[in-house]
Amino acid sequence: MKRTLLAVTALLLTGTSLAQTKTLTVYSGRAKTFVDPVVQQFERQTGIKVNVRYGTDAQLVAALREEGSRSPADVYWGNSVGALGELAEEGKFSKLGSALTRNVSDDYLPDSRTWLPTTVRFRTLAYNTTKIKPDQLPDSIMDLPKMTSLKGRIGWTVSYPSFQDFLGVMIAQQGEQKTRAWIEGMKALQPKDYKTSNVGMLEAMRAGEIDVALTNHYYIQRVNRLNYPIDTYFFKNGDIGNLGNATGAGILKTSKNQGNAARFLSALVARDAQTFFLSVNFEYPVIGNILQPTTMLPYADVIKRSPKVDPTVMPKNIEKAQKLLRDAGLL
């Protein structure tokens, strides 16, 4: 293992290739829209052909478990800390050297150094500015079930990984009993479930079907380009409703292309890719000195609003969160 890590470090420092083939296989829990431009640029710059298998985090994690040592995957690019944490706990990833991790913000870099954060998103509440005023909304997401005036006017995406990660952290902070009570309280408000379609949910808000929605910050930024009457509401500082969550990538121990995989991870946190993630996807970068749109809170401000959370609690509680949702008849 030491020799492998030293070789990967040498690759990143010298640019020489260790791989016998000029190919790479990536399992991506990220949608093609977010991934393909970066993949194509990497192929142009390196001459390495990248084969991408797309799917949900759950589908790809299950595939990696079933394939075991036979998996063709070199890199897993996850959509949430929960999925990345599950694979890391199972020992699926190679440890990354400092050449990969040293320029990345340590806010979401795991202590194990087994995967690399690539972007950061924050949970938030979207609201229709023609129907709701910010001072009408609660300070904490834990009080949202008390908003009886919003009955039938709330949207959420209970199958979306970031929502389930959020519930996993709620279990860690508040316990299963309070989390169950929150879910039941929300259910009593008859929210509309948009499955995994945050875009569809905000389109429904524009159409007047709902007035508020639990979502990630970047979806609101995207529809704002279309002048939708939708804005972002952050709860009080440290509230779980502002939970920060990272996307990230790890190199599979079973990869036969460790060198190419390391080059790929390095490309994901390079300035070009990080600028793309911010300017096109409105996700926060994990490296410094990238100019942000004025419509987004500076990273230094928004990170203060997010609770300080040990990222390892998410994977430990995902199954519990899913069970609570099933018990409530929501999954």
Side-chain angles (χ1 to χ4, degrees):
M1 175 62 76
K2 287 184 179 178
R3 271 186 277 181
T4 300
L5 293 175
L6 288 171
V8 169
T9 301
L11 163 72
L12 292 172
L13 293 175
T14 66
T16 57
S17 175
L18 296 173
Q20 298 300 307
T21 62
K22 297 286 281 183
T23 63
L24 194 69
T25 297
V26 175
Y27 280 15
S28 175
R30 307 228 61 198
K32 186 174 183 178
T33 305
F34 306 147
V35 168
D36 197 47
V38 174
V39 169
Q40 288 187 30
Q41 180 174 340
F42 177 78
E43 289 180 323
R44 288 193 298 270
Q45 291 177 339
T46 65
I48 297 170
K49 170 63 178 173
V50 182
N51 302 306
V52 185
R53 175 178 174 178
Y54 294 101
T56 65
D57 279 334
Q59 289 168 341
L60 297 174
V61 168
L64 287 169
R65 287 169 176 160
E66 182 178 349
E67 293 165 354
S69 61
R70 298 176 290 103
S71 178
D74 299 300
V75 171
Y76 177 72
W77 191 353
N79 198 47
S80 72
V81 168
L84 291 157
E86 285 185 65
L87 293 173
E89 283 199 344
E90 294 172 14
K92 298 287 190 185
F93 293 140
S94 299
K95 188 170 182 179
L96 305 176
S98 61
L100 277 170
T101 62
R102 64 189 172 198
N103 294 323
V104 174
S105 168
D106 61 6
D107 288 318
Y108 294 93
L109 185 65
D111 291 339
S112 64
R113 300 300 194 263
T114 51
W115 57 268
L116 196 67
T118 51
T119 61
V120 183
R121 301 85 54 82
F122 293 89
R123 297 297 295 174
T124 187
L125 190 69
Y127 67 98
N128 186 323
T129 57
T130 67
K131 302 287 184 65
I132 299 288
K133 298 281 191 268
D135 60 10
Q136 295 175 287
L137 297 169
D139 288 338
S140 173
I141 198 170
M142 299 304 296
D143 293 326
L144 193 58
K146 299 175 184 177
M147 300 289 293
T148 55
S149 60
L150 293 174
K151 188 171 183 178
R153 308 296 299 171
I154 300 175
W156 62 359
T157 51
V158 297
S159 300
Y160 193 63
S162 290
F163 179 78
Q164 294 180 6
D165 284 342
F166 150 72
L167 285 183
V169 175
M170 186 186 291
I171 291 170
Q173 287 194 344
Q174 304 288 334
E176 287 188 54
Q177 185 174 347
K178 286 187 177 180
T179 304
R180 184 187 299 274
W182 185 87
I183 291 171
E184 292 293 345
M186 288 294 295
K187 182 181 177 181
L189 294 182
Q190 299 175 6
K192 293 180 172 64
D193 182 14
Y194 296 88
K195 306 303 180 185
T196 60
S197 181
N198 288 270
V199 173
M201 180 167 63
L202 295 187
E203 288 288 352
M205 183 180 291
R206 181 176 71 97
E209 294 178 17
I210 55 175
D211 296 334
V212 300
L214 293 168
T215 188
N216 287 343
H217 81 273
Y218 57 87
Y219 288 110
I220 304 169
Q221 291 291 318
R222 291 173 198 166
V223 300
N224 281 348
R225 288 181 297 185
L226 305 174
N227 295 317
Y228 286 12
I230 296 173
D231 208 346
T232 303
Y233 178 78
F234 283 105
F235 300 96
K236 65 184 178 183
N237 282 5
D239 192 78
I240 192 174
N242 308 327
L243 178 68
N245 197 354
T247 66
I251 301 172
L252 279 303
K253 283 183 178 178
T254 53
S255 167
K256 296 179 176 60
N257 294 301
Q258 297 274 326
N260 288 346
R263 292 182 73 181
F264 185 74
L265 261 63
S266 181
L268 296 185
V269 295
R271 182 164 298 279
D272 286 351
Q274 290 288 295
T275 300
F276 168 80
F277 294 137
L278 175 62
S279 61
V280 177
N281 299 341
F282 294 100
E283 296 175 281
Y284 283 92
V286 295
I287 62 173
N289 299 321
I290 295 184
L291 188 64
Q292 294 176 194
T294 57
T295 54
M296 292 173 63
L297 279 179
Y299 179 78
D301 291 342
V302 74
I303 194 67
K304 293 176 184 176
R305 296 175 183 263
S306 176
K308 299 299 182 185
V309 174
D310 178 355
T312 63
V313 307
M314 292 186 194
K316 292 176 181 177
N317 290 323
I318 294 301
E319 289 187 7
K320 293 178 182 177
Q322 292 169 341
K323 183 179 185 302
L324 291 179
L325 291 170
R326 285 193 296 270
D327 290 347
L330 297 169
L331 272 184

